[in-house]
């Protein structure tokens, strides 16, 4: 079966750095998305990786290793508004999105 | 990025009634739209893929006669929850992704359905 694993919840301090990991086992791979979802709202796009390596976009970076079935989202200079759930989603060989359960990130002052 | 709207944002209805949710892509044409359901503290669950001008493709376990999907134009898809029951209470989210599902999906703001 297809599976995506993320930690359920993480806590970090304002101003610090946090890394949210995502491991996947899917039938084929055509890219990996990270989305941010605030409580009661729809997800918003953060990043898309299809090749190995690090993609940096401001305070957020996303890394992919296809051989290891592994990705992480790195958030720097954390702000209180970064408190949200972060969803990892993989595009499989049928171009279907397989969603992880999400990681709830709690930022403390 | 592209904008997707949903209406209504919140609806409360009595058990047994039907509720229609609209999803519109405001500044691009979406040949494919997706309908998701999300229960509290859970991830998104894909319900169906809506294709303009053809029948929707439903995920396993989703009753097509209960969740009616119509994608009559390139900018509008509707989801009708028929004979709603309290267990249908959930957050329903649509997304649009252009011509293929592996492209970035743009999500609507979601519709909170509460069935009494």
């Amino acid at each position: 079966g297809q599976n995506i694993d993320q930690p359920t919840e993480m806590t970090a301090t304002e101003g610090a750095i946090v890394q949210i990991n995502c491991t996947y086992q899917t039938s084929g791979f055509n890219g990996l998305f990270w989305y941010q979802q605030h409580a009661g709202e729809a997800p918003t796009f953060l990043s898309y990786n299809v090749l190995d390596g690090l993609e940096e976009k401001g305070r957020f970076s996303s890394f992919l290793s296809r051989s290891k079935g592994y990705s992480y989202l790195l958030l720097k200079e954390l702000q209180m508004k970064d408190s949200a759930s972060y969803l990892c989603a993989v595009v499989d060989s049928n171009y279907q999105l397989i969603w992880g359960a999400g990681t709830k990130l709690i930022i403390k002052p | 990025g592209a904008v997707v709207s949903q209406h209504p944002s919140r609806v409360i209805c009595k058990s047994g009634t039907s509720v229609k949710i609209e999803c519109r892509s405001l500044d691009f044409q979406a040949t494919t739209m997706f309908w998701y359901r999300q229960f509290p503290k859970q991830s998104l669950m894909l319900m169906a893929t809506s294709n303009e001008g053809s029948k929707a493709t439903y995920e396993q376990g989703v009753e097509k006669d209960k969740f009616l999907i119509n994608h009559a134009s390139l900018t509008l898809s509707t989801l009708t929850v028929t004979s709603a029951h309290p267990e249908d209470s959930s957050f329903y989210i649509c997304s649009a992704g252009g011509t293929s599902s592996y492209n970035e999906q743009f999500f609507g703001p979601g519709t909170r359905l509460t069935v009494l």
Side-chain angles (χ1 to χ4, degrees):
Chain A
Q2 310 208 82
N3 193 49
I4 295 183
D5 289 316
Q6 306 179 232
T8 303
E9 187 174 297
M10 300 181 69
T11 302
T13 304
E14 189 177 15
I17 300 173
V18 71
Q19 177 176 309
I20 302 174
N21 295 325
C22 171
T23 58
Y24 61 89
Q25 299 92 37
T26 57
S27 57
F29 178 85
N30 282 297
L32 184 146
F33 287 94
W34 282 98
Y35 280 85
Q36 179 190 60
Q37 185 178 25
H38 286 99
E41 299 180 10
T44 55
F45 171 81
L46 289 178
S47 67
Y48 173 68
N49 294 67
V50 67
L51 299 177
D52 291 348
L54 186 69
E55 296 273 347
E56 297 186 75
K57 189 186 296 184
R59 293 190 299 116
F60 292 5
S61 302
S62 57
F63 171 83
L64 174 67
S65 169
R66 288 171 296 172
S67 62
K68 295 182 179 178
Y70 168 70
S71 173
Y72 67 73
L73 180 69
L74 190 72
L75 292 75
K76 303 177 182 177
E77 302 171 13
L78 286 170
Q79 302 175 9
M80 298 303 293
K81 67 178 182 180
D82 297 329
S83 292
S85 287
Y86 291 85
L87 307 175
C88 172
V90 172
V91 185
D92 71 6
S93 57
N94 293 319
Y95 294 100
Q96 297 296 312
L97 265 180
I98 313 300
W99 291 88
T103 298
K104 182 179 181 180
L105 177 63
I106 300 169
I107 309 297
K108 295 185 175 181
Chain B
V3 179
V4 176
S5 70
Q6 258 183 266
H7 177 80
S9 58
R10 187 180 298 269
V11 58
I12 300 173
C13 68
K14 293 182 179 180
S15 184
T17 60
S18 294
V19 175
K20 180 186 283 188
I21 303 170
E22 292 186 348
C23 177
R24 294 182 184 272
S25 57
L26 298 185
D27 52 2
F28 70 104
Q29 294 182 330
T31 55
T32 305
M33 289 184 173
F34 303 89
W35 286 96
Y36 293 87
R37 182 167 51 183
Q38 187 176 35
F39 292 105
K41 298 184 180 181
Q42 295 186 22
S43 189
L44 298 172
M45 291 173 48
L46 180 64
M47 298 176 66
T49 301
S50 169
N51 301 296
E52 187 268 336
S54 64
K55 292 182 179 180
T57 303
Y58 290 82
E59 295 300 301
Q60 191 173 8
V62 178
E63 300 175 55
K64 62 180 181 180
D65 294 330
K66 180 172 180 61
F67 298 98
L68 301 178
I69 291 174
N70 183 280
H71 194 156
S73 76
L74 288 171
T75 59
L76 173 65
S77 176
T78 60
L79 167 68
T80 301
V81 183
T82 62
S83 187
H85 289 99
E87 56 265 31
D88 297 325
S89 297
S90 186
F91 192 46
Y92 291 86
I93 309 173
C94 73
S95 71
T99 57
S100 57
S101 62
Y102 73 91
N103 289 327
E104 175 188 345
Q105 291 193 27
F106 302 97
F107 286 88
T111 297
R112 176 76 58 192
L113 171 63
T114 303
V115 184
L116 302 177

